[in-house]
């Protein structure tokens, strides 16, 4: 007979259940099986506190068809004298039997399924559902169906938060809720309802089939039973014993599981295999889908296997948890022990007078730093340091102000006040160093030698601000280090590209947490001298953000009149930077603000011509690349023709960075070829390193060795057969001595020497020449710029400047149609606005000139013309093509081709005046590359041309013009 469980009894279930409570099991029943004995051994004998869990356990967890008989059996098996304890071990009695429940309310479970025999509190927010549950309990049918809710499609259940999941459940109603529920759930008994909290006890598995009503959701259910199984089956027994064994291991590490087991044991009736599986899954921390699989499984053996997997995972998690806890405990205890020992050591030293306190030690350290340069430190700086040292003694070590003052003194005393490095005033030595590191760059080297010469005459040197401008890869940054070595100064580099915070240059105020001085103060502390060479890289790429304008902050730093008293926000004392040599680098001067540019001495680096690139590749790049790749000079030969072809067809840009990449590519492929060749040689020599016992094997080796050696010699194309004979003789010698007792070590040494001599003779030099250059670097990137051997009517070659250096381009003009008054000009070739205006000017000027030369020729008035500048995919702009366009139009109008091998450049005004252009060096190099013999430049560019190297000007017939009529005479 079942006992009544009142609400007060239910509350007792939430309170402490002491371990003195032990169910007394009758003899001769199934409860005395080994399963229950093993499970009973899991119980802890320690005293327990109050239980505060979300899941509890009861005895009526069977899925059988006769719950009343089982309940009677429980009542008969558990005999307890105390009424409250007896009540807590029973199920709430009902007149309504569980198997009569064919239509139940469907309650969604958001996190985990409810297992038979398990208590679970849930929260019901829907007032209609809550009212239906209360009504059902009053009608003596306190049962409902508990079903786990499925994860929403397209969402990760591990990512969605619990509050979001519950919110989604509360919003679901009717058929939407029905479609989101798992089919298999648990028939649950409603034990109590307190507010919106409902406590359920799982009874048996059920499967919902169809919706009866939607508000609230009521469903028809089928009661599920376990599949029949043999209790004496050895596999089932073994699986259950393994589950119990794993549970016992977990209990040793997890106190949480001990509480679950104690509660379950004290409230269980009979214990069978099915309940063991449910119990293991119910108390585990497995995810909801794994638990749902256990709930849906009706085969007891498979259910035990699923539970075993779950508890094994729990075991691994418990081990990891134990190791983490142990490591943290060891770390904490070690730190505490170290702290205590340090405190004891401090106390002992203080008692013995061996150590002063922290503040005294800090003050002594700061004064020790100042001692070597005390006379050189400015008076105003020394005054600030003394005041801060006095302040440090008055502050408590635990205060935040103490750390601020200590850091401030640390920076003040670490700076090299008045400490200068000995400079090099030897001009010849400096010139040698500069030439060692860089080829060309004569303007930069000349300026540095002038700087040294002035310093030698004065006996001391001042700082300067130099700006090196030029395209990428010409050596602006790398020459800074070379200049520092030539001057015997310390070198410090910092890049200001993208810098948008003024505090990076001027420092932060000390009031901010984590405040630091600016880059210049950090530089002085790092180099240890007050006269370093500071390379400010990418000064044309300064940013501007919400934290101020760094370009304006650089004005004080780079102004010779102001940087003698440079004020950093952090130090707040003036610093003398007048001895610092600043070298800035920039790609585009137009990007530098004018006030900042005005303070710098600009040296333009135009780039390298082909001859200079050839010298750089041969003397610098090839040598360093060969060392980097580990290749010896005698293994490789790269001819001058190959380097010239590499420069002309692959690396036409102004700098040499891409040239270095291509040379590295060549040497990497050579290294791979050498290693592969060595790999082919090794198997041939492998047999020599082994000493065989039988002479037959050795003679076979000698024979194969001779054949392979002869083959190698024939491939190399040499007629010298002596080395192979020597090899054969040296290998035959050990064969003849095989009959005699010999020393094995001596024999191995001889054979190794033979192997080394063979390997040295098979080294073959790799030669890279222009015909096989494409095998190493691929097909040429650049092709011949000369399209026409003889330019036809209406086509003239012009000269242009690009970021890759100079190039030649053709201006092509063609007649579209003729008719009275159809004079017009159409331009193509992706031209910019300036170049389009140049075309209009050229059209007008050419009409004026044609009218003067041939008054009866009305070509421009009656002709629709098309002017094109190939290549069409390349954007082009600039005024320097004006004279070329006029010549092209006149050539078409007069039907006269221009002189062969002629190129020109220059801006034209409406009156026919020729204005100067830029990029004379690059355009001259481009003309030489295209076999141009005659070049026309504006007269104003004569000085630029005269400054070019003789090898650039050699073989060129250059004309300088002021008006277009001079070009007319030269071209036609």
């Amino acid at each position: 007979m079942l006992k009544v469980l009142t609400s007060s009894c239910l509350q007792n279930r939430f309170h402490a259940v002491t371990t003195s409570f032990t169910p007394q099991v009758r003899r001769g029943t199934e409860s005395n099986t080994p399963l229950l004995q093993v499970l009973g051994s899991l119980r802890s004998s320690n005293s327990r506190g109050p239980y505060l869990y979300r899941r509890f356990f009861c005895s009526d967890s069977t899925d059988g068809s006769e719950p009343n008989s089982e309940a009677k059996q429980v009542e008969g098996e558990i005999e307890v004298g105390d009424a409250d304890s007896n009540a807590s071990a029973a199920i709430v009695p009902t007149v309504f039997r569980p198997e009569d429940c064919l239509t139940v309310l469907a309650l969604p479970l958001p996190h985990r399924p409810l297992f038979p025999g398990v208590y679970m509190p849930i929260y019901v927010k829907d007032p209609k559902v809550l009212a239906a549950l209360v009504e059902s309990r009053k009608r003596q049918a306190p049962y409902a169906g508990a079903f786990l809710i499925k994860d929403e499609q397209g969402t990760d259940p591990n990512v969605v938060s619990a509050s979001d999941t519950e919110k989604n459940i509360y919003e679901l109603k009717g058929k939407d809720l029905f479609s989101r529920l798992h089919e298999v759930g648990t028939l649950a008994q409603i034990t109590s309802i307190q507010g919106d909290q409902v406590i359920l006890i799982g009874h048996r598995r059920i499967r919902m089939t169809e919706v009866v009503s939607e508000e609230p959701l009521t469903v028809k259910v089928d009661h599920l039973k376990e599949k029949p199984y043999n209790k004496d089956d050895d596999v089932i027994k073994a699986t259950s014993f393994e589950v119990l064994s794993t549970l016992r291991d977990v209990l040793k590490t997890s106190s949480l599981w001990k509480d679950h087991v104690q509660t379950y044991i004290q409230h269980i009736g009979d214990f069978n295999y099915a309940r063991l599986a449910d119990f293991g899954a119910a108390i585990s921390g497995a995810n909801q889908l794994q638990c749902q699989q256990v709930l849906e499984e009706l085969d007891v053996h498979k259910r035990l296997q699923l539970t075993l997997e779950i508890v094994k995972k729990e075991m691994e998690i418990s081990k990891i948890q134990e190791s983490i806890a142990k490591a943290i405990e060891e770390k904490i205890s070690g730190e505490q022990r170290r702290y205590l020992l340090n405190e004891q050591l401090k106390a002992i030293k203080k008692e013995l007078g061996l150590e002063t306190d922290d503040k005294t030690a800090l003050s002594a350290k700061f004064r020790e730093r100042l001692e070597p340069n005390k006379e050189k430190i400015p008076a105003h700086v020394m005054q600030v340091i003394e005041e801060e040292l006095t302040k440090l003694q008055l502050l408590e070590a635990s205060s935040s102000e103490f750390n601020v003052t200590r850091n401030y003194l640390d920076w003040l005393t670490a700076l090299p006040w008045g400490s200068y490095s000995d400079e090099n005033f030897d001009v010849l030595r400096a010139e040698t160093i500069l030439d060692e590191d860089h080829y060309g760059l004569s303007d930069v080297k000349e300026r540095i030698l002038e700087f040294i010469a002035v310093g030698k005459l004065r006996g001391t040197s001042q700082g300067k601000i130099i700006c090196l401008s030029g395209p990428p890869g010409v050596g602006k940054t790398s020459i800074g280090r070379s200049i520092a070595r030539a001057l015997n100064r310390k070198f410090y580099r910092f890049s200001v590209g993208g810098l948008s915070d003024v505090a990076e240059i001027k420092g932060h105020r000390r009031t901010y947490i984590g405040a630091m001085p600016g880059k210049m103060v950090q530089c002085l502390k790092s180099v240890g001298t007050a006269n370093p060479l500071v390379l400010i890289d990418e000064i044309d790429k300064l940013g501007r953000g919400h934290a101020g304008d760094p370009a304006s902050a650089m004005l004080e730093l780079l102004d010779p009149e102001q940087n003698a008293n440079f004020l950093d926000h952090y130090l707040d004392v003036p610093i003398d930077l007048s001895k610092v040599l600043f070298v800035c680098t920039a790609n585009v001067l137009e990007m530098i603000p004018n006030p900042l540019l005005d303070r710098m001495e600009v040296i333009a680096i135009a780039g390298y011509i082909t001859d200079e690139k050839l010298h750089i590749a041969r003397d610098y790049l090839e040598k360093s690349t060969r060392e980097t790749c580990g290749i010896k000079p005698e293994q490789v030969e790269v001819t001058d023709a190959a380097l010239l072809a590499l420069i002309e067809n692959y690396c036409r840009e102004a700098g040499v960075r891409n040239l270095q990449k291509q040379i590295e590519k060549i040497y990497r492929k050579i290294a791979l070829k050498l290693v592969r060749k060595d790999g082919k040689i090794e198997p041939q020599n492998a047999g020599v390193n082994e000493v065989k016992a039988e002479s037959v094997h050795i003679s076979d080796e000698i024979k194969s060795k001779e054949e392979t050696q002869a083959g190698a010699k024939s491939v190399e194309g040499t007629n010298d057969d002596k080395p192979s004979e020597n090899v054969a003789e040296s290998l035959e010698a050990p064969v003849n001595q095989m009959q005699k007792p010999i020393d094995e070590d001596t024999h191995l040494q001889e054979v190794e020497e033979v192997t080394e001599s063979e390997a040295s003779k098979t080294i073959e030099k790799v030669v890279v020449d222009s015909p096989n250059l494409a095998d190493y670097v691929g097909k040429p990137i650049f092709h011949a710029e000369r399209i026409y051997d003889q330019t036809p009517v209406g086509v003239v070659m012009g000269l242009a400047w690009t970021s890759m250096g100079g190039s030649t381009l053709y201006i092509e003009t063609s007649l579209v149609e003729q008719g009275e008054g159809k004079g017009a000009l159409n331009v193509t070739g992706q031209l910019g606005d300036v170049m389009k205006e140049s075309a209009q000017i050229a059209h007008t000027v050419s009409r004026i000139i044609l009218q003067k030369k041939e008054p009866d020729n009305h070509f421009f008035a009656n002709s629709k013309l098309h002017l094109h500048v190939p290549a069409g995919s390349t954007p082009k702009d600039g005024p320097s093509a004006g004279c070329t366009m006029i010549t092209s139009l006149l050539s078409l109008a007069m039907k006269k081709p221009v002189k062969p091998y002629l190129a020109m450049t220059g801006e034209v005004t409406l009156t026919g005046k020729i204005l100067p252009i830029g990029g004379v060096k690059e355009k001259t190099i481009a003309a030489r590359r295209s076999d141009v013999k005659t070049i026309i430049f504006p007269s104003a560019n004569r000085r630029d041309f005269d400054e070019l190297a003789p090898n650039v000007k050699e073989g060129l017939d250059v004309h300088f013009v002021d008006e277009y009529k001079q070009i007319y005479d030269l071209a036609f």
Side-chain angles (χ1 to χ4, degrees), residues 263-284:
T263 308
Y264 196 84
I265 289 173
Q266 291 173 6
H267 296 85
I268 196 170
D270 62 335
F271 200 160
N272 54 31
Y273 298 118
R275 286 186 182 171
L276 176 63
D278 290 346
F279 164 70
I283 67 173
S284 71

Side-chain angles (χ1 to χ4, degrees), residues 188-220:
Q189 180 179 327
I190 306 163
T191 61
S192 73
I193 300 174
Q194 299 175 357
D196 59 351
Q197 186 187 53
V198 180
I199 297 178
L200 306 175
I201 305 175
H203 271 265
R204 60 181 63 202
R205 289 168 170 78
I206 56 176
R207 186 193 305 276
M208 60 180 180
T209 57
E210 59 179 297
V211 179
V212 177
S213 65
E214 296 186 8
E215 285 289 338
L217 181 62
T218 308
V219 295
K220 280 188 178 182

Side-chain angles (χ1 to χ4, degrees), residues 301-435:
H301 179 222
K302 290 183 180 178
R303 193 189 301 172
L304 279 168
Q305 286 181 327
L306 290 172
T307 302
L308 182 59
E309 290 181 15
I310 291 172
V311 295
K312 285 287 185 185
K313 287 181 182 177
E314 290 291 329
M315 183 64 203
E316 294 301 320
I317 292 171
S318 298
K319 287 180 181 178
I320 295 171
Q321 177 186 351
E322 187 179 14
S323 64
I324 292 171
K326 187 176 179 182
I328 292 174
E329 186 178 350
E330 288 177 356
K331 183 179 178 181
I332 293 173
S333 60
E335 288 177 355
Q336 288 176 341
R337 184 170 177 271
R338 185 180 181 84
Y339 175 76
L340 290 172
L341 290 174
N342 278 330
E343 291 299 317
Q344 290 174 1
L345 184 64
K346 284 181 185 177
I348 292 169
K349 285 186 175 181
K350 198 169 184 179
E351 287 295 324
L352 296 174
L354 298 176
E355 188 180 84
T356 56
D357 61 350
D358 290 342
K359 291 189 285 187
T360 310
L362 277 173
S363 298
K365 182 181 80 170
F366 292 144
R367 291 188 185 279
E368 186 180 348
R369 279 187 191 172
L370 296 172
E371 200 60 41
N373 296 324
K374 198 167 185 180
E375 295 80 11
K376 299 178 183 177
I377 299 176
H380 63 277
V381 176
M382 200 66 207
Q383 181 182 353
V384 172
I385 292 174
E386 291 293 344
E387 289 174 358
E388 292 295 324
L389 285 171
T390 306
K391 180 177 160 185
L392 188 72
Q393 294 296 323
L394 301 175
L395 292 170
E396 287 294 329
S398 58
S399 69
S400 59
E401 186 68 20
F402 178 84
N403 290 325
V404 173
T405 305
R406 183 186 63 185
N407 290 337
Y408 182 48
L409 280 168
D410 192 20
W411 280 101
L412 275 176
T413 55
L415 292 181
W417 301 103
S419 176
Y420 302 103
S421 60
D422 296 330
E423 288 201 66
N424 169 41
F425 291 119
D426 188 348
V427 175
L428 296 177
R429 178 175 173 272
E431 191 172 6
T432 304
I433 292 172
L434 291 171
D435 289 337

Side-chain angles (χ1 to χ4, degrees), residues 1-272:
M1 179 178 180
L2 296 173
K3 302 292 189 294
V4 177
L5 181 62
T6 62
S7 60
S8 62
C9 295
L10 180 62
Q11 291 173 1
N12 290 337
R13 193 169 298 247
F14 285 95
H15 288 75
V17 181
T18 60
T19 54
S20 61
F21 177 88
T22 307
Q24 299 178 9
V25 182
R26 285 192 312 178
R27 298 174 186 172
T29 64
E30 188 184 342
S31 302
N32 203 17
T33 61
L35 284 172
L36 191 58
Q37 291 175 4
V38 173
L39 189 62
S41 68
L42 298 176
R43 287 178 294 173
S44 173
S45 59
N46 298 332
S47 59
R48 303 272 307 281
Y51 289 98
L52 296 172
Y53 300 106
R54 291 180 63 86
R55 294 198 301 275
F56 304 91
F57 308 95
C58 74
S59 59
D60 189 12
S61 59
T62 181
D63 290 342
S65 61
E66 297 180 357
N68 292 339
S69 61
E70 289 183 2
K72 290 176 182 178
Q73 186 180 1
V74 173
E75 180 189 1
E77 289 175 356
I78 302 179
E79 300 171 0
V80 184
D82 187 21
D84 289 341
S85 299
N86 199 2
S88 67
I91 295 177
V92 176
T94 61
V95 177
F96 195 85
R97 294 190 307 167
E99 59 267 26
D100 295 336
C101 294
L102 300 179
T103 303
V104 294
L105 282 171
L107 299 179
L109 302 178
H111 306 298
R112 294 172 62 85
L114 174 64
F115 283 91
V118 178
Y119 281 94
M120 179 183 285
I122 66 169
Y123 292 91
V124 180
K125 301 293 184 181
D126 192 340
K128 292 183 180 180
V129 176
L130 195 61
L133 291 174
V134 173
E135 183 65 26
S136 175
R137 199 157 178 265
K138 287 179 181 178
R139 290 190 291 104
Q140 300 299 315
Y143 290 99
F147 300 91
L148 179 67
I149 194 160
K150 298 177 185 175
D151 294 324
E152 196 172 353
Q153 291 184 353
T155 58
D156 187 352
N158 299 320
V159 175
V160 179
S161 63
S163 60
D164 291 340
T165 306
E166 291 177 3
K167 183 179 178 182
N168 294 338
I169 292 172
Y170 299 146
E171 292 174 354
L172 294 174
K173 306 289 182 183
K175 290 185 179 179
D176 292 336
L177 179 60
F178 178 79
S179 63
R180 285 287 303 277
L181 297 177
H182 285 277
E183 287 185 4
V184 178
T186 310
L187 182 67
Q189 180 179 327
I190 306 163
T191 61
S192 73
I193 300 174
Q194 299 175 357
D196 59 351
Q197 186 187 53
V198 180
I199 297 178
L200 306 175
I201 305 175
H203 271 265
R204 60 181 63 202
R205 289 168 170 78
I206 56 176
R207 186 193 305 276
M208 60 180 180
T209 57
E210 59 179 297
V211 179
V212 177
S213 65
E214 296 186 8
E215 285 289 338
L217 181 62
T218 308
V219 295
K220 280 188 178 182
V221 295
D222 292 337
H223 293 258
L224 304 178
K225 297 180 181 179
E226 281 113 356
K227 295 179 182 178
Y229 64 93
N230 185 6
K231 293 183 179 179
D232 298 327
D233 186 89
D234 292 338
V235 177
I236 294 179
K237 282 184 178 181
T239 308
S240 63
F241 285 144
E242 183 62 25
V243 172
L244 288 169
S245 175
T246 309
L247 286 174
R248 183 188 299 163
D249 292 338
V250 174
L251 288 172
K252 293 176 183 177
T253 58
S254 176
S255 60
L256 184 63
W257 278 44
K258 290 180 184 178
D259 298 336
H260 288 318
V261 174
Q262 290 289 341
T263 308
Y264 196 84
I265 289 173
Q266 291 173 6
H267 296 85
I268 196 170
D270 62 335
F271 200 160
N272 54 31

